Structures are given as C-alpha cells and as structure tokens.
Amino acid sequence: MTAAETVALLRRVYAAYAAHDVAELDAVVSENVVLHVPGDHPLSGAHCGRDAMWDYLGRVSAVAGGRGGFDVRSIIADERGHAAASVFGTIRHFVRPMVHVWRAQDGVLTEFREINLDQDAEDAFWNRALTIASDSCGPDACLRPTDDQSAGSPQHWRCS
C-alpha cells in the first residue's frame, strides 16, 4: 500500500467509527486484527481477533452512551503500511490527547496500538466508568451491536 492509501484507509476507519458503521468497520479490519490497549484498567491488554475487537468497542460504547469519538488532527504513513494518527479522544466529559499507531496490509488494518499522553488519567477514568457500566449490565456482560441498522441512526449496543 502507498502512504496515501494507508492514510485514506485510516480516514475510512475514523469515519466509520464516528458513524457507528459496523459493516464498514468489518470491511476495513482484518479478521485477525490485534488491538493493544495500555494501562491498568479492565479494558487494557491485547484484544485479538474481530470478535474481541467488537467486545472491546461494545464496552467503550456502553460507557460513551453512543456519544464521543476522535478528533483526528493528523495522520502520517509510510509505504509499508505503518501509520500514526494524532487524535483527541472524547467520552462524555473526558477529553484526552492520544496517538494511535496502526499497521495495514492488503487493504485492511491488522494492528492498532493506543498511546495515551496521560495514562494515569486514562486508568482512573476507565476504572470508574467500567465499574458503573458493569453495575448496569452485570460483571460478565459483553456488549454487542444490536440488529437496528436504521439508515442515519447511530448504532446501539446491548448487554448479552
């Protein structure tokens, strides 16, 4: 992939995430994608495979209440499918600067690494927010997209 193709792919990912477009995210993410989330909170660790990615995104969405997202400031990429995005992430009242590092191959994203510029604040937010969310759905709940795919409506998530 060229650098321009990788940047375009990332812009598709951020647009699909903002629109809660499950089909588009499935189309641009490898079945064996790995998401690396740093920190000391219930979401930190490696999320391996598309199902694990959806479980992770479902838990994030449950906390966000369908609001929030990323303000992408810049994306850089090389000719080998490596890219980095400078973003501000917003969930409810929590706004934080982050760097997302991506790897793409054959037109799909294969790996994601999140770098938080204030990991202590990130840990505190997620530890508190996920305690509240687990009280709502139960401690072992996985959140998955519903079948409501109404045109123009945001994606909804449910406890399973």
Side-chain angles (χ1 to χ4, degrees), residues 121-145:
E122 191 82 13
D123 291 341
F125 174 82
W126 286 112
N127 281 315
R128 170 104 173 104
L130 289 168
T131 298
I132 293 167
S134 70
D135 290 345
S136 302
C137 294
D140 298 320
C142 288
L143 295 157
R144 301 210 180 267

Side-chain angles (χ1 to χ4, degrees), residues 87-103:
V87 304
F88 279 85
T90 302
I91 295 181
R92 294 190 272 172
H93 64 280
F94 185 47
V95 178
R96 70 261 195 235
M98 313 167 87
V99 175
H100 292 164
V101 179
W102 299 86
R103 187 167 47 136

Side-chain angles (χ1 to χ4, degrees), residues 16-40:
Y17 183 82
H20 304 276
D21 188 339
V22 172
E24 179 69 1
L25 285 170
D26 267 343
V28 297
V29 174
S30 165
E31 183 176 320
N32 298 313
V33 67
V34 179
L35 282 65
H36 303 276
V37 178
D40 186 20

